[in-house]
Amino acid sequence: MNDLVSVIIPVYKVEPYLRECLDSVVNQTYYNLEIILVDDGSPDDCPKICDEYAENDSRIKVIHKENGGLSDARNCGIDIASGKYLTFVDSDDVIHSLYVESLYNALCECCADVSVCQYVSFVKNESIPFGENCVDVKTLVGRDAVIDLYNRQCRFSYKMKFGVPIQAWGKLYRKELFEQICFPFGKIHEDQFIVPLILYRAKNVAVISKNLYFYRKVEHSIMKNHFSLKRFDDLEAVSNCIDFFKKKKELEIVNVAEKCYTRLSYLYYMMARIANLEYQLPRKYKVNFVKVFLWQRNNSLLNMRETIAYLFPCIYRLYKSIKH
């Protein structure tokens, strides 16, 4: 089999990293690719770089559009994708040369609708750890993949040493899974809104143990910026998914998703507290801080840094300012 795979890459203000990303994509061992570059109104030289690569590789399509955010860019890519399968790559990240081939083979061998690889983070000028040559593959039904995803976000124990991260990238999807599902416009943590729903639709999910996706830590990225109340979009996403799974009467998923919600609500409330923004929070996002803190301590969910941040927020705020 040699099905067409669409690789969707939103592009915005990543000029220093874009060529490295695109080189890792065009040099995939799996050649039958449709590479969709969505220039989301980038004000730097990214549009020129996209056009340059398109001139040299007939597999590349470029969309130039006004800035609408990551979700809008991904949705535009999905709309024009003609591949049987699709995957997402962020334009400041890098993928292993076997990324598509490994995900595609795992998906076919396991008769799956989604395949998932592991990822590692790296920073500029740091060598990328490509991992071991040995590859293990496990298969989960869709609902179990969702449970594994929420368990990992909660830091609860789980059977699989490797599993399903929340990010949309690092996965290969059957395109039909996105019918009537799209990334939410204007939200951050957009992956949290739809990835659990996509996995739930999948009959089987193949999980690869190997690190094939390499996430670049960039200081000016959305997740690295100073804390803002927009981060609470994450809680809205989990809440929406909880409502969905309640209607499906998936009580086991609801149970672990609610624990995930509790865990995240504590973390974001703590971050708002450290940033002196807790009094601006809507009432629905305020938590019984002491009660949740003790619950997490009893379940070994707090690390030392989080404990210090709770007990001594002024000291932790000073530490963050010095570090910055």
Side-chain angles (χ1 to χ4, degrees), residues 10-29:
V11 178
Y12 183 74
K13 293 178 70 173
V14 288
E15 184 180 345
Y17 318 112
L18 183 57
R19 291 183 185 276
E20 185 178 6
C21 172
L22 296 182
D23 287 342
S24 73
V25 175
V26 299
N27 291 318
Q28 288 291 295
T29 56

Side-chain angles (χ1 to χ4, degrees), residues 27-229:
N27 291 318
Q28 288 291 295
T29 56
Y30 191 97
Y31 188 80
N32 193 20
L33 301 177
E34 174 189 54
I35 303 170
I36 302 173
L37 308 182
V38 185
D39 163 35
D40 193 33
S42 187
D44 53 11
D45 280 342
C46 283
K48 294 180 181 178
I49 295 173
C50 290
D51 291 337
E52 173 191 327
Y53 272 76
E55 289 178 2
N56 296 323
D57 195 322
S58 60
R59 300 174 298 170
I60 296 178
K61 299 178 180 179
V62 181
I63 302 174
H64 297 291
K65 58 181 286 297
E66 293 184 359
N67 179 250
L70 179 59
S71 289
D72 190 52
R74 284 177 173 170
N75 291 334
C76 286
I78 294 171
D79 288 342
I80 72 162
S82 54
K84 184 176 181 179
Y85 303 100
L86 57 85
T87 186
F88 302 98
V89 177
D90 282 358
S91 50
D92 51 359
D93 296 339
V94 179
I95 56 176
H96 193 288
S97 60
L98 293 171
Y99 172 81
V100 176
E101 180 180 343
S102 299
L103 288 173
Y104 178 80
N105 289 341
L107 189 145
C108 293
E109 292 169 6
C110 298
C111 298
D113 296 318
V114 180
S115 54
V116 181
C117 70
Q118 308 307 298
Y119 76 95
V120 291
S121 302
F122 73 102
V123 296
K124 186 178 180 181
N125 298 326
E126 180 181 64
S127 59
I128 301 175
F130 284 101
E132 301 176 356
N133 293 325
C134 180
V135 179
D136 192 10
V137 180
K138 295 186 179 181
T139 305
L140 297 172
V141 297
R143 66 181 304 278
D144 289 343
V146 177
I147 292 171
D148 181 81
L149 180 152
Y150 282 128
N151 271 330
R152 289 171 190 279
Q153 285 194 287
C154 288
R155 294 184 186 167
F156 286 119
S157 60
Y158 32 79
K159 295 180 180 179
M160 294 177 60
K161 293 182 179 179
F162 56 94
V164 185
I166 184 61
Q167 291 82 3
W169 42 252
K171 301 174 176 65
L172 182 64
Y173 309 86
R174 186 181 294 274
K175 187 186 176 186
E176 286 82 356
L177 295 175
F178 285 86
E179 291 178 357
Q180 299 181 340
I181 292 183
C182 60
F183 289 95
F185 184 81
K187 302 290 185 181
I188 66 172
H189 296 288
E190 61 286 328
D191 302 343
Q192 187 82 271
F193 281 87
I194 75 163
V195 170
L197 307 185
I198 293 291
L199 294 175
Y200 184 72
R201 281 186 168 189
K203 182 178 180 181
N204 288 316
V205 177
V207 185
I208 303 173
S209 63
K210 189 174 179 62
N211 298 325
L212 297 172
Y213 192 99
F214 306 101
Y215 170 76
R216 188 191 304 271
K217 293 181 179 179
V218 181
E219 284 300 319
H220 60 73
S221 68
I222 294 174
M223 293 299 105
K224 286 290 183 180
N225 283 340
H226 292 300
F227 180 80
S228 75
L229 298 185

